[in-house]
Amino acid sequence: MKLNEAVSKRLLELLDERKMTQYQLYMKSGVPKSTIGNVINCSYDSVKLRIIHEMCQGMGIGIDTFFASPLFQEDNLV
């Protein structure tokens, strides 16, 4: 899977775990709703680390927690 797809899946997992909507993430993180939607829909070839960091802050997690997933293991990425 591509890196942007892994980021999208991980974001959806984390939102689901926290029972958060995209709108709630926008309200807590300040990341525009359109940006969150674009990340989830894989509209970007790559996502800036700053955006991931801001979304993590909105979910109350560290960036290390975001990337602590088998989705980001090298053998899962192309």
Side-chain angles (χ1 to χ4, degrees):
M1 119 177 38
K2 292 180 178 180
L3 185 57
N4 64 339
E5 293 169 333
V7 169
S8 171
K9 285 186 179 199
R10 183 63 174 152
L11 179 55
L12 287 170
E13 283 178 0
L14 291 166
L15 287 174
D16 188 54
E17 284 174 14
R18 285 155 182 73
K19 307 216 181 317
M20 282 181 78
T21 65
Q22 292 178 38
Y23 181 77
Q24 289 169 321
L25 179 58
Y26 150 68
M27 293 299 291
K28 290 186 176 192
S29 69
V31 175
K33 291 179 288 185
S34 59
T35 300
I36 295 168
N38 286 335
V39 170
I40 288 173
N41 294 322
C42 299
S43 299
Y44 301 132
D45 287 332
S46 62
V47 182
K48 290 183 179 181
L49 193 56
R50 178 184 58 80
I51 296 297
I52 294 172
H53 180 254
E54 289 173 1
M55 291 190 297
C56 286
Q57 288 180 317
M59 291 184 283
I61 62 171
I63 202 161
D64 56 329
T65 301
F66 186 89
F67 288 109
S69 165
L71 290 168
F72 298 107
Q73 289 178 351
E74 203 57 41
D75 55 341
N76 290 333
L77 300 170
V78 285

